[in-house]
Amino acid sequence: MGRPELPVDHTLPAQGALAVALRELRTAAGLSYDELAARSGVSATALKRATSGRHVPARKTVEAIAAACHAQDEDGLAKLWLDARIAARGRLHGRRRPASPELITTAGALSQALVYFYEQSGAPTLRRLSFLAGGRHLLPVSTAGKVVAGQVLPATRQQCLAFLEACGIGPRMRERWADAYDRVTAPTSLARRWGAFQQDLTAEETLLRIHERGFAGVGSVRLADLHSGPGLAARARGEETLRELLGHTPVRDTRFGYVEPRRLRQQRAA
């Protein structure tokens, strides 16, 4: 007689619930781990890890177990896996659920919403995300990586729709978020808001006003992001926006992180 199974680890309740469901499937099917391994194509060691409660198995492992045990409630098992995956990553904890798409007015808010939807979908691998979006011609893997990192928005409305579909967002809601994408990325939107904000201020006064009161939509990057933002792409986007809005005016106030790049200084000197 083999050794009895160790108790399920319920440190993360969602992981424990998935492990219990997988154990019950195996028991109901009357299969040993070796027999289940032969039927599912998953090694016995991987099966024991999947039913331990200490790890979240890959989605395809859960699907293989369900198929081998002739599971009746595959949707319920998929929900248990998704809950366990979200709990294990811990990325949604403390993250606010996105507002209604009609209330989204900045690229930053839209980017945060897209990241939320990605995490809510179980954070599939970038390759799977691209596949679910309809293929690399719609959502390249490299672009998907930058979107889920919060560095860029999708390049087009179609790409935004593909990303949302890959994250499991329904058709009607996809259209509403795509409308928000169109509104945020409209070419005249930033210039119109900037003109109302600046009101003929000098470069230093403008940056001071941004610093004190904020300006929604300056490249979707806060002033602090210029040197301590989430990544090089975000900081570069913020710098490019400020150069465009300020007409390449050098800013010498040390309270601000923007410093005119050497290349621009050389061009102006020439």
Side-chain angles (χ1 to χ4, degrees), residues 5 18 23 25-27 38 102 108 111-112 123 140 142 147 166 175 191 207 211 219 239:
E5 284 188 285
L18 174 61
R23 287 191 181 193
L25 275 180
R26 183 185 68 82
T27 301
E102 287 73 26
S111 177
Q112 291 177 18
S142 59
V147 173
E175 288 296 329
L207 283 181
H211 181 72
E239 292 177 1

Side-chain angles (χ1 to χ4, degrees), residues 14-34:
Q15 284 186 204
L18 174 61
V20 168
L22 293 176
R23 287 191 181 193
E24 290 177 348
L25 275 180
R26 183 185 68 82
T27 301
L31 300 173
S32 68
Y33 278 106
D34 288 336

Side-chain angles (χ1 to χ4, degrees), residues 223-243:
L223 188 64
D225 287 337
L226 296 180
H227 277 264
S228 59
L232 291 176
R235 295 198 290 275
R237 189 165 66 249
E239 292 177 1
E240 288 291 340
T241 303
L242 285 178
R243 283 200 294 272

Side-chain angles (χ1 to χ4, degrees), residues 190 193-194 210 215-222 237-238 241-242 245:
L190 176 60
R193 293 199 304 274
W194 176 256
I210 293 173
F215 170 62
V218 178
S220 76
V221 179
R222 298 167 303 166
R237 189 165 66 249
T241 303
L242 285 178
L245 294 175

Side-chain angles (χ1 to χ4, degrees), residues 33-50:
Y33 278 106
D34 288 336
E35 291 169 336
L36 181 56
R39 282 195 185 186
S40 65
V42 180
S43 70
T45 300
L47 291 173
K48 291 178 181 179
R49 281 173 55 87

Side-chain angles (χ1 to χ4, degrees), residues 61-225:
T61 298
V62 174
E63 293 173 347
I65 294 172
C69 296
H70 306 292
Q72 299 299 314
D73 186 14
E74 293 188 12
D75 289 341
L77 198 60
K79 178 64 166 58
L80 287 174
W81 177 86
L82 181 59
D83 291 344
R85 171 74 171 165
I86 291 173
R89 285 179 64 81
R91 303 285 180 86
L92 284 184
H93 179 69
R95 186 181 285 270
R96 301 177 69 177
R97 186 175 184 83
S100 170
E102 287 73 26
L103 299 178
I104 298 297
T105 59
T106 69
L110 178 58
S111 177
Q112 291 177 18
L114 296 180
V115 174
Y116 183 96
F117 294 144
Y118 170 71
E119 293 293 339
Q120 183 180 245
S121 71
T125 65
L126 297 180
R127 290 183 182 277
R128 179 167 177 79
L129 189 68
S130 176
F131 171 77
L132 293 173
R136 295 185 179 184
H137 64 289
L138 289 175
L139 182 64
V141 173
S142 59
T143 301
K146 293 176 181 178
V147 173
V148 302
Q151 295 177 343
V152 301
L153 290 176
T156 64
R157 177 189 175 94
Q158 183 183 28
Q159 195 172 87
C160 183
L161 285 167
F163 180 90
L164 292 166
E165 182 176 6
C167 292
I169 306 301
R172 291 185 179 179
M173 190 58 72
R174 286 202 299 269
E175 288 296 329
R176 291 173 62 190
W177 280 104
D179 289 343
Y181 172 87
D182 287 342
R183 184 170 61 253
V184 166
T185 59
T188 60
S189 178
L190 176 60
R192 184 169 58 252
R193 293 199 304 274
W194 176 256
F197 178 87
Q198 190 183 23
Q199 298 177 349
D200 298 324
L201 300 175
T202 66
E204 281 78 2
E205 290 171 338
T206 299
L207 283 181
L208 180 59
R209 193 169 180 184
I210 293 173
H211 181 72
E212 293 177 342
R213 295 173 49 187
F215 170 62
V218 178
S220 76
V221 179
R222 298 167 303 166
L223 188 64
D225 287 337

